[in-house]
Amino acid sequence: MSNRWIQPGDNADITMERKKATFDVEKMSEWIYGGKQILDRRREILAFVKSVDDFKDPVPVEFMSREDRVENGTRKIVKMTDNTDQIDGSDFFGEGMYYQSLVMGRDLHPLSLHYVMFLPTLQGQTNDEQLDQWLGPAIARSIVGTYAQTELGHGTNLSKLETTATYDPKTEEFVINSPTVTAAKWWPGGLGKSSNHAIVVAQLYTNGECKGPHPFIMQLRDIETHKPLKGIRLGDIGPKLGINGSDNGFMLFDNVRIPRKNMLMRYSKVLPDGTYVAPAHAKLGYGTMVFVRSIMIKDQATQLGAAACIAVRYSSVRRQGEITPGEREVQILDYQTQQFRIFPQLARAFVFLFAAYEIKELYMKVTEDLTKGNTELLPELHALSSGLKSIVSWETAQGIEQCRLSCGGHGYSQASAFPEIYGYAVGGCTYEGENLVMLLQVARFLMKAAEEVRNGTSNLAAICAYLGKKGEGRSKLSHHLDYTSDQIIADLEHVAREQVFRAYDRLKAAQQHLRPEDAWNSVSLELSKASRWHVRLYLARNFLNKISSAPADLKKVLIDLAKLYVFDIISASSGQFLLGGYMTEQQLDQIKEGIYSCLANIRPNAVSLVDSWDYDDVELKSVLGRRDGNVYEALLKWAQQSQLNKTDVLPTFHKYLGPMMKEGRSKL
Amino acid sequence: MSNRWIQPGDNADITMERKKATFDVEKMSEWIYGGKQILDRRREILAFVKSVDDFKDPVPVEFMSREDRVENGTRKIVKMTDNTDQIDGSDFFGEGMYYQSLVMGRDLHPLSLHYVMFLPTLQGQTNDEQLDQWLGPAIARSIVGTYAQTELGHGTNLSKLETTATYDPKTEEFVINSPTVTAAKWWPGGLGKSSNHAIVVAQLYTNGECKGPHPFIMQLRDIETHKPLKGIRLGDIGPKLGINGSDNGFMLFDNVRIPRKNMLMRYSKVLPDGTYVAPAHAKLGYGTMVFVRSIMIKDQATQLGAAACIAVRYSSVRRQGEITPGEREVQILDYQTQQFRIFPQLARAFVFLFAAYEIKELYMKVTEDLTKGNTELLPELHALSSGLKSIVSWETAQGIEQCRLSCGGHGYSQASAFPEIYGYAVGGCTYEGENLVMLLQVARFLMKAAEEVRNGTSNLAAICAYLGKKGEGRSKLSHHLDYTSDQIIADLEHVAREQVFRAYDRLKAAQQHLRPEDAWNSVSLELSKASRWHVRLYLARNFLNKISSAPADLKKVLIDLAKLYVFDIISASSGQFLLGGYMTEQQLDQIKEGIYSCLANIRPNAVSLVDSWDYDDVELKSVLGRRDGNVYEALLKWAQQSQLNKTDVLPTFHKYLGPMMKEGRSKL
């Protein structure tokens, strides 16, 4: 088989690995990305990005100060959005995401919120007149906007936001104010230094009554000088665990007046005399959130895949320890413990990516249904996307760290790119809905479904159909080699169903003696566990389904990945499968044997499996994960760029160490 | 009860929490640190550090560039070691560690390796003449040394180091050389820019024969100019996940000549004619490693305790969501899921700290035994310390991340200190022996013990005595409230014993058809699992023992912590306890109920429990973890110091965003 990843001058070990593959890498890449056409387009985009000098970093970003990093990112993002005729940056799920990750790396940038929140909010929440006024300038980049909702003291519970917008009918203005420190807007990307406009969410007061949080558009900085406007205090919120190229900001208002028409009025309105007009229909805000999450899940899968790619490639060229005394040291990928650290992460990356595709498909379907007034699937899809976001982001973060640790000391160096990948990806556990809060949202949906089943009024959503099934009392697993997809699904369904009803029964029991919210709180560990199993079941079923339609010659290695994913889950939670005698100890032994055999099967294909994700070195930005495997020379070269190596002798010698040693000599 | 942690002006919620405590905080602090005298001494050291202006950072280190951070650290460490008359810095396990953490924070510094490795190696490996020559200058700080062993391509397997030291009898010199890029010394702390000397480990060649790795002392930089000497190429290895105040370095030698007497000759020798004299006794190198690990474990416990302290305090002042509609938002510490995220970490911090004490005690005992020629306990202690290092560092890292995630968005900010704590602590999974390698070392020890039991030749070390016990076939747990320490230990012993023999049997079976090292590799997952249970058992037993001698009025809350620790372990690995019908499902339900009841019991004591670790704000360096609970004002103040806030309008506006928006306006 020809293999585009093998090139002259490559490390001999990595070439040997590539020659071992039992499947066609290019074919796998096509399958992963949805066809030759999309893969070709990826490569066009890559070639374009490589051709533009302005997209290059003068030094890798990890050597930059925060100021330089923000400046470098600003330079690149302006250039990137100059080129919208070449790349459809608005296709966030598809080529837009790839284009951005190639140009911007693992960083958000001063225009992130402009595109992801400011523009869509204008499109969704303005009336026609407002749309005419604001959309053109926003699209033309003649203003830069952000979205300011979260406050220093307030996150998910919007009803408690403190920023006020008090209507003054005398001047037909709103007075925007931050009554306390905790009312400070906090976190919005690009707010600190880059944006000159924002959608600000504030409690609307009119005629002495609070009407709850509403969105307002505000100018923040002078168009010409970019200085903050009077009454507005803003700045950067400081360094974070990751994403430090973004100037997330804070903002406080001191009774700032804005015209009445700056309230976004597609739904609610305030008339000139202060009369509040409530929206005709409750907002259907779910859709956008689902779409954003499908993007997040794809992005997370891509980060986890990158981490696995780095770890697998490095483990194939790193030699350490002797299995046979006297012989050459072995590739560390030969250690079973190393395989078990990395391969399940690779399997997860596959599983998560295909979940992202599926969610996006469902989103498209639901959006189409919505135009026909059919909102039936929306709660189901919303719950699913919340749960997936939670499980995927957490397992991605853990998986990245396992990959990093598998690379030993070099994994700790920023040359590996792992610190950057982790800092970026793990943010996903917190933003767009804190993970545990998300799991409890899924649980609300599951408890409703469980209630329906128990009441016999079952009209279950497809995704919950398993809750109404009877199921078998015993797992049918006989031998790991014969463990069919149907049996796997039946086993996961059993455990998910048991956990959902266990949580349901405990909730009902708690409700006997506690107020509803206290009862809910008292069983929240069981509830979140139910959500986890519901999502795991979905992930496994979805990936097994996808594999069933994969090209025949790819199936074997894909099934190894899918089984490893499932076996790892079962083995790590064996107690759940032993309960009620559902599985026997012999069956669990089979699961273990299955893990060993999957690891052994994946071993010769490992490098080609990560190659098939089609990461270019420009995208990976990892010295350890280089395509050519020549990591050591590259590490030495990378280190030369350290900020501390600009001079042979640091000022610390002249100021501190030199005098100290001189004094020491004088004492001898 | 009086409570020194309550002060006027504190956040009302945190004061309320402190008033709820059911135990005396000061008494708990004394118990944690080993008595009033030690606690008083801590506070003297704290007062001293606060009194020295030179120990203050001009801005928090997270706002510094790497260069500034290294410079700031160098300034402080020189000042810190100026004051050795006031603080016994050499007592690394005790006040030295505390002093350093107060002054240096979560950073190593240019003299770390000088004190931790260079000095002790001189003391341990030189002959008398060499000691006279080098020890004085090293102690007087007239030279700065480091320890250069690890190479770019070689870590734990010392026999494969590539740096050569070839003896030339004509000139009575060694020629030190790096034959390849992978031979580059890599990682030594302080090597990049600060040290002018190093102990260099190289393969000794004399009379054409390789005698394996040996230590040599070398001057690296000119004493007056600090420029690298001829033939030595060195520099900083670049930024890392954490500990960026340290200039970890690389070094390559181009046939550098050093006198014969620069080989450290306490054990092996090379005579002037090149004759190699082997050491009379094999080196007993274990002792120092055990001591270093006891320090690491104490340090890790301290980091995890700090993370729990930050999370608990913040969760007591953060209010979000309503449990009772219409009422004030609740303290997030009231959510069961939040408690379950944080409290087990707090419990672990206790368990780990007392394990560190115990290991240090054992180390002292073994050291005493060694002077009497008794080496019996050494392998046992070495295995134990390896296993503890592995389990403690990994669970600490995971626990820190759970604490960080529990603080939502603010946990992601460097204001929380979590990113710094994590970056620092998680390094412990890799340095001083990679964790999985460590677990497999423990497994070698366990397999020998298992073999003895099976052969009936049992002369088991005390720590393995449980392997020779018969044990009960069924757990005696009846109700979580009556679950005694003895029963807990019996249950953990059962599971550890079963896993050790499961691994042993699989190993024996694999040895039937595989070469020994391949057999070992093929069961390494089972082996590492056996090591984990062995260590967990030790940790639980040790803490339960300690509690038994605690003051009566502290016992209740300590038992809640110990039980939570154990219940969490059992619940997370319930499959292991169900195997063979050892526990019933009813017993596992009791464990779950036990978790809920421990969480509820700990809840009112949580703030006081973290207070009792006696962290000063100077040590925590966390805006979220402030003693006074006034986090929001402090966050706003912290953010003002952001590098990006030095000016209202960044150059990015004039260079990029301004022209972009101007062009946009021209198109409208």
Side-chain angles (χ1 to χ4, degrees):
Chain A
M1 275 181 289
S2 78
N3 185 331
R4 70 197 308 271
W5 298 91
I6 298 175
Q7 289 177 26
D10 288 356
N11 174 292
D13 283 330
I14 208 165
T15 298
M16 172 182 77
E17 292 298 329
R18 287 180 169 130
K19 289 184 173 163
K20 280 186 200 164
T22 64
F23 65 93
D24 185 300
V25 183
E26 191 70 1
K27 205 163 180 181
M28 183 67 87
S29 297
E30 288 173 15
W31 188 69
I32 289 175
Y33 289 109
K36 184 171 184 331
Q37 207 183 338
I38 297 175
L39 190 62
D40 287 346
R41 178 64 180 148
R42 275 175 69 90
R43 290 170 182 170
E44 271 175 37
I45 295 171
L46 175 65
F48 172 68
V49 169
K50 284 185 174 179
S51 75
V52 178
D53 277 343
D54 279 340
F55 289 159
K56 295 189 170 62
D57 297 317
V59 292
V61 294
E62 56 269 23
F63 295 113
M64 295 181 188
S65 70
R66 180 127 191 266
E67 300 91 310
D68 290 347
R69 193 160 171 169
V70 169
E71 178 156 335
N72 185 55
T74 310
R75 179 180 61 73
K76 288 194 297 181
I77 191 61
V78 171
K79 190 72 191 173
M80 186 183 122
T81 50
D82 282 346
N83 288 288
T84 43
D85 50 333
Q86 311 241 14
I87 316 277
D88 182 6
S90 72
D91 172 16
F92 288 128
F93 189 87
E95 65 181 66
M97 192 196 292
Y98 184 56
Y99 179 40
Q100 178 166 320
S101 76
L102 287 175
V103 177
M104 301 306 301
R106 296 156 190 124
D107 227 337
L108 298 179
H109 52 74
L111 300 186
S112 294
L113 273 273
H114 181 79
Y115 286 111
V116 174
M117 290 297 299
F118 185 68
L119 263 170
T121 306
L122 287 178
Q123 287 166 327
Q125 307 270 334
T126 52
N127 61 28
D128 292 351
E129 190 192 338
Q130 292 173 324
L131 194 68
D132 285 348
Q133 182 183 353
W134 295 106
L135 191 66
I139 288 176
R141 303 182 307 174
S142 76
I143 57 175
V144 174
T146 181
Y147 184 86
Q149 177 172 292
T150 305
E151 296 175 354
L152 185 47
H154 308 281
T156 44
N157 191 7
L158 291 194
S159 68
K160 295 290 180 179
L161 290 178
E162 292 183 81
T163 305
T164 54
T166 310
Y167 186 63
D168 179 354
K170 286 196 287 282
T171 58
E172 295 191 19
E173 287 172 322
F174 289 102
V175 182
I176 310 293
N177 194 43
S178 311
T180 63
V181 167
T182 44
K185 292 297 175 187
W186 201 268
W187 277 113
L191 173 63
K193 294 291 159 179
S194 307
S195 303
N196 58 8
H197 283 73
I199 310 285
V200 174
V201 180
Q203 299 288 355
L204 168 60
Y205 282 83
T206 184
N207 293 332
E209 271 183 52
C210 180
K211 299 295 182 183
H214 285 72
F216 301 82
I217 186 163
M218 294 184 72
Q219 184 178 336
L220 311 179
R221 289 173 176 269
D222 183 82
I223 296 293
E224 296 295 337
T225 68
H226 206 60
K227 294 217 162 134
L229 297 186
K230 191 162 170 291
I232 296 179
R233 195 174 141 210
L234 45 65
D236 174 73
I237 61 164
K240 295 143 291 186
L241 176 56
I243 318 183
N244 278 309
S246 174
D247 54 323
N248 299 76
F250 69 85
M251 177 160 58
L252 285 153
F253 303 103
D254 181 9
N255 292 304
V256 177
R257 289 182 167 260
I258 57 171
R260 184 181 63 91
K261 67 181 167 91
N262 280 28
M263 173 177 161
L264 300 191
M265 299 218 199
R266 171 173 290 187
Y267 299 103
S268 313
K269 290 181 186 53
V270 170
L271 303 182
D273 68 351
T275 306
Y276 178 74
V277 183
H281 305 287
K283 278 175 284 177
L284 293 169
Y286 281 167
T288 318
M289 283 163 76
V290 171
F291 185 57
V292 169
R293 284 182 191 146
S294 74
I295 294 174
M296 274 184 74
I297 294 164
K298 187 180 176 204
D299 189 27
Q300 295 272 334
T302 307
Q303 300 304 326
L304 183 56
C309 179
I310 296 165
V312 166
R313 286 183 182 165
Y314 176 68
S315 300
S316 78
V317 301
R318 175 75 174 187
R319 287 178 171 270
Q320 189 161 294
E322 291 140 286
I323 288 187
T324 312
E327 277 187 19
R328 203 175 161 198
E329 289 188 291
V330 299
Q331 294 166 286
I332 57 175
L333 198 56
D334 284 336
Y335 292 109
Q336 190 187 57
T337 48
Q338 184 78 348
Q339 295 165 11
F340 188 62
R341 265 187 162 168
I342 305 173
F343 295 168
Q345 319 314 335
L346 177 58
R348 281 191 184 94
F350 273 89
V351 170
F352 296 168
L353 182 68
F354 284 89
Y357 290 150
E358 180 68 13
I359 289 291
K360 196 224 170 190
E361 286 294 307
L362 283 173
Y363 166 75
M364 303 298 276
K365 185 172 160 8
V366 167
T367 307
E368 206 186 301
D369 286 0
L370 280 179
T371 62
K372 300 175 201 151
N374 180 354
T375 62
E376 200 183 322
L377 282 173
L378 208 48
E380 168 183 346
L381 182 57
H382 180 248
L384 178 62
S385 75
S386 302
L388 279 171
K389 179 269 183 200
S390 176
I391 300 295
V392 167
S393 61
W394 172 236
E395 294 193 1
T396 292
Q398 287 194 298
I400 292 166
E401 273 296 80
Q402 282 302 325
C403 290
R404 183 182 70 71
L405 289 165
S406 79
C407 296
H410 293 324
Y412 193 73
S413 166
Q414 290 194 22
S416 70
F418 285 122
E420 193 76 10
I421 296 174
Y422 182 71
Y424 172 77
V426 78
C429 295
T430 305
Y431 65 76
E432 278 295 310
E434 200 283 321
N435 275 355
L436 270 172
V437 175
M438 291 298 97
L439 288 179
L440 291 172
Q441 281 186 10
V442 179
R444 297 244 178 233
F445 172 80
L446 292 174
M447 290 306 102
K448 272 185 210 150
E451 181 126 304
E452 286 186 21
V453 173
R454 279 287 162 80
N455 292 345
T457 60
S458 170
N459 176 23
L460 291 173
I463 193 171
C464 290
Y466 71 95
L467 292 176
K469 279 195 203 165
K470 184 78 183 69
E472 307 276 344
R474 298 284 178 272
S475 168
K476 293 196 166 161
L477 163 65
S478 57
H479 189 281
H480 65 87
L481 293 178
D482 311 323
Y483 197 25
T484 66
S485 294
D486 286 348
Q487 288 172 1
I488 290 172
I489 298 304
D491 290 345
L492 293 175
E493 282 184 346
H494 167 84
V495 164
R497 185 168 48 234
E498 290 287 307
Q499 181 59 37
V500 167
F501 283 104
R502 187 176 302 122
Y504 178 80
D505 291 337
R506 285 187 183 240
L507 180 62
K508 288 288 140 187
Q511 285 170 349
Q512 299 298 313
H513 60 276
L514 292 171
R515 295 177 306 172
E517 291 302 316
D518 287 327
W520 182 266
N521 189 30
S522 77
V523 296
S524 53
L525 292 179
E526 294 292 338
L527 289 165
S528 53
K529 207 166 161 182
S531 300
R532 284 192 191 96
W533 282 109
H534 174 73
V535 173
R536 283 182 191 136
L537 164 63
Y538 174 83
L539 284 164
R541 182 167 46 203
N542 182 64
F543 189 55
L544 288 166
N545 281 346
K546 297 282 174 188
I547 292 177
S548 67
S549 62
D553 46 345
L554 299 181
K555 273 188 187 169
K556 190 179 171 315
V557 63
L558 289 169
I559 287 172
D560 284 327
L561 288 167
K563 283 196 172 175
L564 178 60
Y565 174 75
V566 170
F567 292 160
D568 185 34
I569 288 176
I570 297 178
S571 175
S573 303
S574 58
Q576 298 282 120
F577 291 83
L578 287 168
L579 287 180
Y582 182 76
M583 273 195 184
T584 63
E585 296 185 21
Q586 291 67 38
Q587 285 174 319
L588 282 178
D589 279 342
Q590 276 302 315
I591 295 290
K592 266 195 212 169
E593 293 304 324
I595 290 178
Y596 304 140
S597 104
C598 288
L599 294 178
N601 291 346
I602 292 168
R603 169 67 188 84
N605 282 316
V607 168
S608 286
L609 278 169
V610 299
D611 285 348
S612 65
W613 281 65
D614 198 52
Y615 295 109
D616 190 84
D617 285 349
V618 166
E619 186 177 10
L620 278 185
K621 298 188 196 322
S622 166
V623 178
L624 299 190
R626 295 167 63 92
R627 183 204 57 73
D628 66 11
N630 295 320
V631 299
Y632 296 116
E633 299 79 358
L635 272 169
L636 193 56
K637 204 172 149 197
W638 179 86
Q640 317 295 311
Q641 304 170 80
S642 168
Q643 306 95 322
L644 302 182
N645 291 334
K646 285 176 195 155
T647 163
D648 258 350
V649 179
L650 289 186
T652 54
F653 173 74
H654 303 295
K655 287 191 193 169
Y656 308 112
L657 296 173
M660 175 191 85
M661 290 192 273
K662 196 168 177 187
E663 196 203 340
R665 289 197 296 278
S666 75
K667 285 182 187 162
L668 292 175
Chain B
M1 271 178 292
S2 78
N3 185 331
R4 68 197 311 271
W5 298 91
I6 298 176
Q7 289 177 28
D10 288 356
N11 174 291
D13 283 330
I14 209 165
T15 298
M16 172 182 77
E17 292 298 329
R18 288 181 170 131
K19 288 182 175 166
K20 279 186 200 164
T22 63
F23 65 92
D24 184 297
V25 182
E26 192 69 3
K27 206 163 180 181
M28 183 67 88
S29 297
E30 288 173 14
W31 189 70
I32 288 175
Y33 289 108
K36 183 170 184 332
Q37 206 184 340
I38 297 174
L39 190 62
D40 287 345
R41 178 65 181 149
R42 276 176 69 90
R43 290 170 183 170
E44 271 175 36
I45 295 170
L46 176 64
F48 172 69
V49 169
K50 284 185 173 180
S51 74
V52 178
D53 277 344
D54 279 341
F55 289 159
K56 295 189 172 62
D57 298 317
V59 292
V61 294
E62 55 269 23
F63 295 113
M64 295 180 188
S65 69
R66 180 128 191 265
E67 299 92 311
D68 290 346
R69 192 160 173 170
V70 169
E71 180 158 334
N72 185 55
T74 310
R75 179 181 62 73
K76 289 194 297 182
I77 191 60
V78 170
K79 189 74 193 171
M80 186 184 122
T81 50
D82 282 348
N83 288 287
T84 41
D85 50 333
Q86 310 241 13
I87 317 276
D88 182 8
S90 72
D91 172 17
F92 289 127
F93 189 87
E95 65 180 66
M97 191 196 292
Y98 184 56
Y99 180 39
Q100 177 166 320
S101 76
L102 288 174
V103 178
M104 301 306 302
R106 295 155 191 126
D107 228 338
L108 298 178
H109 52 73
L111 299 186
S112 295
L113 274 274
H114 180 80
Y115 286 110
V116 175
M117 290 298 298
F118 185 69
L119 264 170
T121 306
L122 287 179
Q123 288 166 327
Q125 307 269 333
T126 51
N127 60 30
D128 292 349
E129 188 191 341
Q130 292 173 325
L131 194 68
D132 285 349
Q133 182 183 356
W134 295 107
L135 191 66
I139 288 177
R141 303 182 307 172
S142 75
I143 57 174
V144 174
T146 181
Y147 185 86
Q149 178 172 294
T150 306
E151 296 175 355
L152 185 48
H154 308 280
T156 44
N157 190 8
L158 291 194
S159 69
K160 296 291 179 176
L161 290 178
E162 292 183 81
T163 305
T164 53
T166 309
Y167 186 63
D168 179 355
K170 286 196 287 282
T171 59
E172 295 191 18
E173 287 173 322
F174 289 102
V175 182
I176 310 293
N177 194 43
S178 311
T180 61
V181 167
T182 45
K185 293 297 175 187
W186 200 268
W187 278 114
L191 172 63
K193 294 290 160 179
S194 306
S195 303
N196 58 9
H197 285 73
I199 311 285
V200 174
V201 180
Q203 300 288 354
L204 167 61
Y205 282 84
T206 183
N207 293 332
E209 270 182 54
C210 179
K211 299 294 182 182
H214 285 73
F216 300 82
I217 187 164
M218 293 184 72
Q219 184 178 337
L220 311 180
R221 289 175 176 268
D222 183 81
I223 295 293
E224 296 295 336
T225 67
H226 207 58
K227 293 219 163 129
L229 297 185
K230 192 160 169 293
I232 296 178
R233 197 174 139 209
L234 46 63
D236 175 72
I237 61 164
K240 295 142 291 185
L241 176 57
I243 316 182
N244 278 309
S246 174
D247 54 322
N248 299 76
F250 69 84
M251 178 160 57
L252 285 153
F253 303 102
D254 181 10
N255 293 304
V256 178
R257 288 181 166 259
I258 57 171
R260 183 181 64 89
K261 68 185 165 92
N262 281 28
M263 172 176 161
L264 300 191
M265 298 218 200
R266 173 174 289 187
Y267 298 103
S268 313
K269 290 181 185 58
V270 168
L271 304 182
D273 67 352
T275 306
Y276 178 74
V277 182
H281 306 286
K283 276 175 285 178
L284 293 170
Y286 281 166
T288 319
M289 283 163 76
V290 170
F291 185 58
V292 168
R293 283 179 192 147
S294 74
I295 294 173
M296 274 184 74
I297 293 163
K298 187 180 176 206
D299 189 27
Q300 295 272 335
T302 307
Q303 301 303 327
L304 182 56
C309 178
I310 296 166
V312 165
R313 287 185 182 164
Y314 176 68
S315 300
S316 78
V317 301
R318 174 76 173 186
R319 286 178 173 269
Q320 189 161 294
E322 290 140 287
I323 286 187
T324 312
E327 278 187 17
R328 199 175 163 200
E329 290 188 291
V330 301
Q331 294 167 285
I332 57 175
L333 199 56
D334 284 335
Y335 292 109
Q336 191 187 58
T337 48
Q338 185 78 348
Q339 295 164 9
F340 188 62
R341 264 185 163 169
I342 304 173
F343 295 170
Q345 319 314 335
L346 177 58
R348 280 189 186 95
F350 273 89
V351 171
F352 296 168
L353 182 67
F354 284 89
Y357 290 151
E358 180 68 14
I359 288 292
K360 196 222 169 190
E361 286 294 307
L362 282 173
Y363 166 75
M364 303 298 275
K365 185 172 160 9
V366 167
T367 308
E368 207 187 299
D369 285 1
L370 279 179
T371 61
K372 299 174 202 151
N374 180 353
T375 62
E376 201 182 322
L377 282 173
L378 207 47
E380 167 183 347
L381 182 57
H382 180 248
L384 177 62
S385 75
S386 302
L388 279 172
K389 178 270 185 202
S390 175
I391 299 296
V392 168
S393 62
W394 172 235
E395 294 192 3
T396 292
Q398 288 194 299
I400 291 166
E401 273 296 80
Q402 281 303 325
C403 290
R404 182 182 71 71
L405 288 164
S406 79
C407 296
H410 293 323
Y412 192 74
S413 165
Q414 291 194 20
S416 69
F418 285 122
E420 193 77 10
I421 297 174
Y422 183 71
Y424 172 77
V426 78
C429 295
T430 305
Y431 65 77
E432 279 295 311
E434 199 284 320
N435 274 356
L436 270 171
V437 176
M438 291 299 97
L439 288 178
L440 291 172
Q441 282 185 8
V442 179
R444 297 243 177 232
F445 172 80
L446 292 174
M447 290 305 103
K448 272 185 210 149
E451 181 127 304
E452 285 186 21
V453 173
R454 280 288 163 80
N455 291 346
T457 59
S458 171
N459 176 23
L460 290 174
I463 192 172
C464 290
Y466 71 96
L467 292 176
K469 279 196 204 164
K470 183 80 182 68
E472 307 276 343
R474 299 283 178 270
S475 168
K476 293 196 166 160
L477 163 64
S478 57
H479 189 280
H480 64 88
L481 293 178
D482 312 323
Y483 197 26
T484 66
S485 294
D486 286 348
Q487 287 172 0
I488 290 172
I489 298 304
D491 289 346
L492 293 176
E493 282 184 346
H494 168 84
V495 164
R497 186 168 47 233
E498 291 287 306
Q499 181 60 36
V500 167
F501 284 105
R502 187 176 301 121
Y504 178 79
D505 291 337
R506 286 188 183 241
L507 180 62
K508 288 287 139 184
Q511 285 170 349
Q512 300 297 313
H513 60 277
L514 292 172
R515 294 177 307 173
E517 291 303 315
D518 287 327
W520 182 265
N521 188 30
S522 77
V523 296
S524 54
L525 291 179
E526 294 292 340
L527 290 164
S528 53
K529 207 165 164 184
S531 300
R532 282 193 193 95
W533 281 109
H534 174 73
V535 173
R536 284 182 190 135
L537 164 63
Y538 174 84
L539 284 164
R541 181 166 47 202
N542 181 65
F543 190 55
L544 287 166
N545 282 345
K546 298 282 173 187
I547 292 177
S548 67
S549 62
D553 46 346
L554 299 181
K555 273 189 187 169
K556 190 179 171 316
V557 64
L558 289 170
I559 287 172
D560 284 326
L561 287 167
K563 283 195 171 174
L564 178 60
Y565 174 75
V566 170
F567 292 160
D568 184 35
I569 288 176
I570 297 177
S571 176
S573 304
S574 58
Q576 300 281 121
F577 291 83
L578 287 168
L579 287 179
Y582 182 76
M583 274 195 182
T584 63
E585 297 186 19
Q586 291 67 37
Q587 286 174 318
L588 282 178
D589 279 342
Q590 276 303 315
I591 296 290
K592 267 195 213 170
E593 293 304 325
I595 289 178
Y596 304 140
S597 106
C598 288
L599 295 179
N601 291 345
I602 292 168
R603 168 68 188 85
N605 282 316
V607 168
S608 286
L609 278 169
V610 299
D611 285 348
S612 65
W613 281 65
D614 197 52
Y615 295 109
D616 189 85
D617 285 350
V618 166
E619 186 177 9
L620 278 185
K621 297 188 197 324
S622 166
V623 178
L624 299 190
R626 293 167 64 92
R627 183 203 57 75
D628 66 12
N630 295 321
V631 300
Y632 296 116
E633 298 78 0
L635 272 170
L636 194 56
K637 202 171 151 198
W638 179 85
Q640 317 295 311
Q641 303 171 81
S642 168
Q643 306 95 323
L644 302 183
N645 290 335
K646 286 177 195 155
T647 164
D648 258 351
V649 180
L650 289 185
T652 54
F653 173 73
H654 303 295
K655 286 191 193 170
Y656 308 113
L657 295 173
M660 175 192 84
M661 290 193 273
K662 196 167 177 189
E663 195 203 341
R665 288 198 296 278
S666 74
K667 285 183 185 161
L668 293 175

